[in-house]
């Protein structure tokens, strides 16, 4: 078959390079997936007890993902906690993860015994399902005994998969859902707004306990049509914000924060009366801005939180507010802002008392003891990397803090010995030179590097010359403004005004310059 000739325009066509694709996003996502924490110093039980509900489960699962040393303990704690909810899917997922981890860790015999126990339990559960309710309890006990006998020669494993529990929880969840749904239908038939609102909230709470976040969000949102007061609207917004945080839908979070703040009862009331709601909204806004990498705005939101009313473990802890707010402030505030808004703040000082290491870091940074500050930052790095919200931003924040320290260190000097700078920043001269070079290229430091003598020289600005340039510029601006004033005064004196022509009247879109009859101008009408 003959090959058709290409059109002339396509003969020399070259496939375009894909330069528009943002490479940073992929790199950041890969960076998040590659986080591995080797030596955290946190007490996992104390850490987990700061949270409740889905927040605790999400954080424990994240710890198990990034920290091999704490993975087993985190999964077991998550399994224990999830049994107090109706979240069967997470229970099954956690058990699968636990069995995989035990298999990888070399628990061959124990894994086989557990598998045998699971098979026995599954068979017993099938028998229970086929029996009437009267016989279900003895059969369940027999299943538990059979499973216990299969594990380690009669010793029951507290974390073995419990098929009976799964079946029972699914039945209870279905019955409760049916009851709540029927109650809501009755409320709607009676047309009582308050009852319908509560019915939607109860249904959403049940979906949340089952781990169905999408339906929970829908039910919380539907309650808005039945709110009869500003307090109800604010409560609805807080519920939607909570679920949106679980879903990591940060645009939704910011939208409902604005709705809550614009509610008349909230915006007109005193801050003391609404301080708990205000603190909750500030923390949610800080979290959303942090995830959108607006670190300075996030810091200001966290700094506005009230310590006495910061009690919502289903979303964030007081220690989180201290860490998130402190690091973002350190990375973005100048010395005056750091002193005024962080160090001298009576409210945020109470948060910093919970994190003494972070408090020392901030004080060392302000005192220009950068070597001690950076050493302390390296010590807490692993603990930050097990926090699911701050971990993706640790590298960026640390880089910003270090760059700000370099800028502040050099700002008072005309020249600086890079050997001494390297000692002050716990770095080598070569690495420091690369860092300073990048800052110079970014325009953050006005200096030049003597690579031979390893000296950093500030660019000498001719103050006399720059003063004359500013004076000349101001003179030209003054002349221009004066001419404009004279022209305006002349037009007012001659009673001249410009009248626009509507676009609908014709194709000519110009303006008419009209002169009143009493003026001395000879031309009555001119087109401009």
């Amino acid at each position: 078959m003959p090959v058709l000739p290409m059109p002339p325009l396509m003969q020399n066509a070259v496939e375009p390079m894909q330069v528009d694709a943002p490479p940073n996003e992929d790199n950041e996502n890969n960076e998040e997936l590659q986080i591995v924490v080797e030596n955290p110093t946190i007490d996992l039980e104390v850490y987990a007890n700061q949270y409740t509900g889905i927040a605790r489960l999400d954080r424990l699962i994240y710890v198990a993902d990034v920290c091999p040393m704490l993975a087993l303990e985190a999964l077991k704690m998550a399994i224990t906690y999830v049994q107090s909810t109706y979240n069967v899917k997470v229970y099954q997922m956690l058990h699968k993860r636990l069995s995989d981890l035990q298999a990888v860790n070399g628990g061959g015999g124990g894994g086989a015994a557990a598998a045998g126990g699971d098979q026995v339990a599954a068979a017993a559960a099938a028998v229970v399902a086929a029996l009437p309710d009267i016989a279900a309890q003895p059969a369940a006990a027999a299943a538990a005994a059979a499973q216990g006998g299969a594990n380690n020669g009669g010793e029951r494993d507290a974390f073995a998969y419990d098929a009976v529990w799964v079946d029972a929880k699914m039945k209870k969840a279905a019955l409760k859902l049916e009851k709540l749904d029927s109650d809501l239908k009755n409320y709607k038939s009676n047309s009582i707004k308050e009852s319908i609102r509560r019915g939607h909230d109860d249904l959403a709470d049940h979906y949340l306990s089952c781990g169905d976040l999408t339906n929970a969000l829908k039910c919380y949102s539907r309650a808005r049509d039945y709110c009869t007061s500003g307090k109800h609207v604010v409560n609805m917004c807080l519920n939607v914000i909570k679920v949106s945080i679980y879903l990591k839908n940060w645009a939704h979070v910011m939208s409902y924060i604005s709705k809550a703040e614009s509610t008349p009862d909230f915006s007109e009331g005193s801050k003391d009366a609404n301080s708990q709601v205000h603190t909750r909204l500030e923390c949610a806004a800080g979290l959303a801005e942090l995830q959108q990498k607006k670190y300075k705005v996030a810091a200001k939101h966290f700094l506005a939180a009230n310590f006495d009313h910061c009690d919502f473990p289903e979303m964030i802890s007081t220690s989180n507010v201290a860490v998130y707010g402190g690091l973002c402030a350190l990375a973005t505030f100048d010395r005056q802002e750091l002193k005024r808004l962080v160090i001298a703040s009576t409210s945020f000082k109470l948060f910093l008392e919970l994190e003494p290491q972070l408090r020392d870091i901030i004080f060392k940074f302000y005192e220009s003891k950068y070597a001690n500050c950076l050493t302390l930052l390296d010590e807490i790095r692993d603990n930050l990397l097990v926090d699911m919200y701050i971990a993706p931003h640790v590298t960026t924040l640390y880089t910003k803090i270090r760059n700000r320290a370099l800028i502040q260190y050099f700002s008072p000097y005309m020249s600086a010995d890079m050997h001494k700078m390297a000692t002050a920043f716990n770095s080598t001269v070569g690495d420091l030179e690369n860092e300073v070079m990048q800052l110079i290229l970014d325009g953050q430091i006005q200096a030049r590097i003597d690579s031979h003598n390893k000296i950093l020289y500030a660019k000498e600005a001719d103050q006399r010359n720059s003063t004359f340039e500013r004076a000349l510029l101001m003179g030209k601006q003054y002349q221009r403004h004066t001419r404009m004033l004279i022209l305006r005064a002349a037009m007012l004196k001659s009673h001249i005004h410009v009248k626009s022509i509507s676009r609908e009247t014709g194709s000519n879109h110009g303006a008419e310059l009209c002169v009143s009859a009493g003026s001395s101008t000879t031309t009555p009408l001119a087109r401009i």
Side-chain angles (χ1 to χ4, degrees):
M1 180 176 178
V3 180
L4 295 175
M6 296 179 65
L9 293 176
M10 295 295 293
Q11 289 177 359
N12 297 323
V14 180
E15 185 178 354
M17 293 176 63
Q18 295 183 359
V19 294
D20 295 331
N24 293 333
E25 294 181 5
D26 296 337
N27 292 339
E28 286 167 5
N29 293 337
N30 294 337
E31 209 172 89
E32 291 177 25
L33 296 174
Q34 293 171 1
I35 292 176
V36 177
V37 184
E38 298 293 341
N39 298 309
T41 58
I42 62 170
D43 186 337
L44 191 59
E45 186 174 358
V46 174
Y47 175 76
N49 287 336
Q50 296 177 351
Y51 312 98
T52 59
I54 291 180
R56 180 186 289 195
L57 292 174
D58 284 347
R59 286 178 179 270
L60 287 172
I61 292 170
Y62 183 81
V63 171
D65 287 338
V66 300
C67 184
M69 189 174 75
L70 297 175
L72 187 64
E73 184 183 357
L75 289 175
K76 288 183 176 180
M77 290 177 67
I79 289 171
T80 302
Y81 185 76
V82 80
Q83 286 180 309
S84 62
T85 68
Y86 290 99
N87 205 337
V88 175
K89 289 184 179 179
V90 171
Y91 177 82
Q92 293 171 333
M93 182 270 293
L94 289 171
H95 266 289
K96 184 178 183 305
R97 295 269 311 266
L98 182 62
S99 61
D100 293 343
L101 183 63
Q102 288 174 338
V104 170
N105 289 342
D118 291 345
Q119 291 175 0
V120 173
V127 173
V128 170
L131 290 174
D133 292 339
I134 301 174
Q137 189 172 356
Q147 185 177 357
N151 287 330
N152 299 325
E155 182 183 356
R156 176 170 180 174
D157 184 3
F159 299 100
Y161 183 78
D162 192 347
V164 178
W165 178 88
V166 170
D167 189 55
K169 278 292 181 181
M170 290 178 71
K171 288 179 179 178
K172 286 182 181 178
L175 289 172
K176 187 174 181 180
L177 178 62
E178 187 178 351
K179 180 181 179 300
L180 292 172
D181 201 18
S182 63
D183 289 345
L184 183 59
K185 288 178 181 177
N186 291 334
Y187 298 149
K188 286 183 177 179
S189 63
N190 294 331
S191 300
I192 303 174
K193 279 194 170 184
E194 176 63 15
S195 299
I196 297 172
R197 185 186 68 82
R198 288 182 179 177
H200 278 300
D201 284 349
D202 292 341
L203 197 59
D205 290 340
H206 177 66
Y207 278 127
L208 199 60
S209 181
C210 294
D212 191 349
L213 298 179
T214 306
N215 282 324
L217 183 63
K218 288 179 182 177
C219 290
Y220 280 134
S221 300
R222 286 170 187 160
R224 183 179 186 178
D225 297 333
Y226 305 97
C227 294
T228 56
S229 68
K231 186 178 179 181
H232 293 163
V233 175
V234 171
N235 186 60
M236 179 275 303
C237 290
L238 292 176
N239 287 329
V240 172
I241 288 167
K242 176 178 65 175
V243 181
S244 298
I245 288 175
Y246 296 153
L247 291 169
K248 296 181 174 58
N249 189 345
W250 306 114
H252 215 221
V253 171
M254 295 304 299
S255 173
Y256 274 85
I257 288 172
S258 300
K259 289 178 182 177
E261 289 176 342
S262 61
T263 303
D265 289 1
F266 177 74
S267 57
E268 294 173 4
S270 64
K271 275 196 173 182
D272 293 335
N274 298 322
S275 54
Q276 186 168 8
V277 176
H278 181 263
T279 299
R280 192 185 185 104
L281 292 176
E282 291 290 353
C283 290
L287 201 57
E289 298 289 6
L290 173 64
Q291 300 308 309
Q292 295 173 3
K293 301 183 180 180
K294 299 176 182 176
Y295 300 121
K296 189 164 188 174
V297 182
K300 290 181 178 179
H301 281 299
F302 287 122
L303 291 172
N306 189 325
F307 182 81
D308 295 330
H309 299 92
C310 186
D311 183 22
F312 18 89
E314 70 279 3
M315 185 175 75
I316 199 172
S317 70
T318 49
S319 296
N320 293 148
V321 176
V323 172
Y324 301 166
L327 284 177
C328 291
L330 208 56
T332 56
F333 285 2
D334 57 30
R335 286 181 63 81
Q336 289 76 20
E337 288 176 321
L338 196 65
K339 172 69 174 177
R340 179 169 49 89
L341 299 176
V342 180
I343 297 174
S345 171
T346 54
S347 59
F348 197 70
K349 192 178 291 184
L350 298 174
F351 286 103
L352 290 178
E353 293 295 329
L354 301 174
E355 294 290 336
Q357 276 186 301
L358 182 64
R359 181 191 59 199
D360 292 343
I361 288 168
I362 293 173
F363 277 92
K364 296 291 184 188
F365 186 89
Y366 184 74
E367 294 166 2
S368 299
K369 297 177 180 177
Y370 300 119
N372 296 336
C373 170
L374 296 173
T375 302
L376 290 172
L377 277 172
D378 287 337
E379 290 177 2
I380 67 169
R381 187 185 183 96
D382 280 350
N383 290 349
L384 295 176
L385 289 175
V386 297
D387 187 304
M388 62 185 293
Y389 291 122
I390 196 70
H393 309 278
V394 167
T395 303
T396 305
L397 289 173
Y398 271 42
T399 303
K400 285 180 175 289
I401 292 169
R402 187 175 178 86
N403 290 346
R404 189 166 289 275
L406 284 167
I407 295 167
Q408 289 186 8
Y409 181 93
F410 182 67
S411 59
Y413 302 114
M414 292 299 295
S415 64
D417 187 347
M418 298 188 71
H419 294 281
K420 293 182 179 179
M421 284 184 69
T423 304
F425 285 92
N426 291 335
S427 178
T428 63
V429 177
D431 292 341
L432 182 68
E433 186 174 349
N434 291 332
E435 291 182 64
V436 173
M437 179 186 68
Q438 191 60 47
L439 290 174
I440 292 172
L441 292 175
D442 294 341
Q444 298 186 55
I445 292 181
Q446 302 299 323
R448 293 174 296 175
I449 300 173
D450 183 349
S451 294
H452 179 68
N453 297 317
K454 302 300 180 186
I455 297 176
L456 184 65
Y457 291 101
K459 284 186 179 178
E460 295 184 10
D462 189 345
Q463 299 295 335
R464 181 185 176 88
N465 192 21
S466 60
T467 303
F468 276 116
E469 287 179 355
R470 287 199 303 271
L472 289 172
L473 181 62
M474 289 179 65
K476 290 178 181 177
Q477 290 177 348
Y478 178 75
Q479 285 181 343
R480 183 171 180 271
H481 291 160
T482 305
R483 288 196 189 99
M484 292 169 66
L485 287 172
I486 293 171
L487 177 61
R488 178 176 173 78
M491 293 179 71
L492 290 173
K493 185 178 179 180
S494 301
H495 304 288
I496 300 172
H497 66 278
V498 178
K499 184 170 65 175
S500 298
I501 299 176
S502 175
R503 294 189 177 186
E504 297 176 358
T505 58
S507 59
N508 191 350
H509 302 329
E512 290 182 350
L513 182 63
C514 301
V515 184
S516 63
S519 68
S520 59
T521 308
T522 57
T523 307
L525 185 66
R527 175 82 62 182
I528 60 172

